[in-house]
Every structure is written in C-alpha cells, then in structure tokens.
Amino acid sequence: LIQGALEKMYRTDDIPQALLHPLKVMDKSTQRMLRLINQLLEFRKMQNNKLALSLQETDVVAFLYEIYLSFSDVAEQKNMDFRFQPSAASYKMFIDKGNLDKVVYNLLSNAFKYTPSNGKVILSAIVDEDRKCLEISVADTGIGIAKEKRGELFKRFMQSNFSSNSTGIGLHLTHELVNVHKGTINYDENQEGGSIFTVSLPIDTSAYAVSYTHLRAHETPEHLVC
C-alpha cells in the first residue's frame, strides 16, 4: 500500500523539487522493509526445511549491478569508495534471483554497517570457467571479525563482535540460502583491514539435478524449479 501510494505520487507531474529527494528516500526505505520481511519469511521456511530454488536464466552481471546501484546513496552519505568490479561485461547463467538478491544484499548491508565513513567496499564478480563457478565477493575495510569467532560465524544466533546486539541471524540465513543454491560461502581477513566474504555458485545447471516435472505450467524451460 505504501509503495503504491509512492508510485502514484511519482506519476504526478507537478511534484515540488524539494520533495523529490524525500520521496526517493521513502521509496528506498519501503523497498528495504519489504526485503527484511521477505528475509523473515525465508528464515521461517528454513526452520521448516522448506527452502527451495526457482532458477531462471539471468545476466548475473547486470543483476549484481542493479544491487550495487541500490547502495549508491549510502556510499555517498558515508563518503565511501564503493566499486563494482566484474570480470566480464555480461554473463548469463541460471540463478534464483530472489535467493541471490538476499545473499548479496545482506553482505553489502553488513559491509556498509560496520565500515566507518571514508572506508572502502568492493563488490566483485568473477566467472571462473575452469572451476565452473561464479565467485561473488564483498570486501570492506571495516572492523573485521575476531579470530576466535570466525569458526562460528554462520551459526544461528551467534553473538558477533560487530555490535553488542548483533545475533548473526542474517549471516546464518545467508549461509543457508547459499547452501540451497549448491554453493559455498567463506570468510577471509582483508589485508587492508576488514573482511572479505566470498560466495561461489555453480555455473553448470547439472549441479542442481533439475527435475523438469517441477516446471510450473506457465513457465518455459528457461525457468527451472528445484
């Protein structure tokens, strides 16, 4: 309802210039709220062992670039050096767009949340044909993670050193979503200080053991459900 009202306001021709930025902030905020609600729903599915994949052939570079753009305002506000570094201008592969959106958005949100102003955040995407995988990494120059806590980093309700009230649900859900996508997620210490999270996803659809009996009636073979 909120998004619908905002869209109606955007379609108005005589919006005062002074209201354009507040409307943009409201729009981004409602999108973020929707993402958080969807994450809670995914967390509930995870608890009930009902996480599933809905694969669709997608230009993953363009897809990641759109997520990158959604953080441009935050980067500007904190005067961050924020870059997107893909190894190719475009690359089509099968992904679960909703799944991968939550994964990358969570990693970038953490990077911006725990990196001070004037820091650096790099989102990179490397297509490794030899290993038949896509590597997506988020590197930051933030506060990092204590060595004694890295082994429990993706555990549910793990108390992290990010802040006194951080319970690690986001990273736990991210880890589970990556697992459902037949991938892996790893943490490394950034030599510049901070953290590097790397997600590796298979680019070969044979990794998903797709059953075509699960195709929805209204979908083409390009949209696969596992």
Side-chain angles (χ1 to χ4, degrees):
L1 289 174
I2 296 171
Q3 285 184 317
L6 286 171
E7 289 172 3
K8 186 176 181 179
M9 293 175 71
Y10 269 124
R11 289 195 295 269
T12 303
D13 295 330
D14 56 349
I15 300 176
Q17 188 69 26
L19 292 181
L20 288 176
H21 180 68
L23 283 173
K24 185 178 180 182
V25 172
M26 291 167 67
D27 184 48
K28 284 184 174 292
S29 296
T30 55
Q31 290 180 32
R32 175 167 171 74
M33 183 164 59
L34 182 60
R35 287 174 188 268
L36 292 172
I37 291 170
N38 286 334
Q39 285 185 39
L40 288 173
L41 294 174
E42 290 295 325
F43 188 71
R44 186 61 176 170
K45 289 179 185 178
M46 183 184 69
Q47 289 179 311
N48 295 328
N49 296 316
K50 291 183 178 180
L51 286 177
L53 279 182
S54 182
L55 297 173
Q56 184 177 4
E57 189 172 36
T58 305
D59 183 344
V60 71
V61 176
F63 176 78
L64 292 172
Y65 182 66
E66 287 299 317
I67 300 176
Y68 162 79
L69 289 179
S70 69
F71 284 85
S72 57
D73 285 349
V74 181
E76 184 177 348
Q77 290 168 14
K78 297 185 69 174
N79 195 30
M80 306 279 276
D81 180 3
F82 182 39
R83 308 177 199 172
F84 177 46
Q85 298 178 337
S87 66
S90 66
Y91 188 80
K92 286 191 174 183
M93 60 180 283
F94 282 90
I95 60 170
D96 183 317
K97 296 172 71 172
N99 181 312
L100 190 56
D101 177 87
K102 295 181 184 72
V103 168
V104 178
Y105 198 91
N106 270 340
L107 295 179
L108 282 173
S109 293
N110 277 343
F112 276 96
K113 186 175 182 180
Y114 302 113
T115 301
S117 296
N118 304 308
K120 182 191 297 185
V121 175
I122 305 295
L123 170 64
S124 65
I126 299 174
V127 178
D128 191 330
E129 296 281 4
D130 293 333
R131 294 174 51 223
K132 297 185 182 301
C133 72
L134 169 72
E135 282 197 350
I136 302 168
S137 71
V138 175
D140 65 62
T141 56
I143 62 176
I145 298 172
K147 290 183 179 180
E148 63 271 16
K149 295 194 176 182
R150 294 174 189 174
E152 301 179 340
L153 193 57
F154 301 109
K155 291 184 179 179
R156 183 179 169 188
F157 304 132
M158 190 279 292
Q159 187 79 30
S160 79
N161 74 327
F162 285 144
S163 64
S164 59
N165 61 355
S166 177
T167 55
I169 293 175
L171 280 179
H172 177 57
L173 176 59
T174 298
H175 179 263
E176 294 303 310
L177 290 173
V178 171
N179 282 343
V180 170
H181 219 303
K182 309 301 181 184
T184 61
I185 180 170
N186 295 294
Y187 169 85
D188 289 298
E189 186 176 355
N190 192 345
Q191 292 183 351
E192 298 183 47
S195 305
I196 302 176
F197 286 91
T198 303
V199 173
S200 295
L201 300 177
I203 58 178
D204 190 343
T205 54
S206 64
Y208 300 104
V210 174
S211 172
Y212 284 89
T213 60
H214 290 158
L215 282 174
R216 297 172 187 170
H218 65 282
E219 290 167 344
T220 65
E222 284 77 24
H223 195 139
L224 313 177
V225 179
C226 298

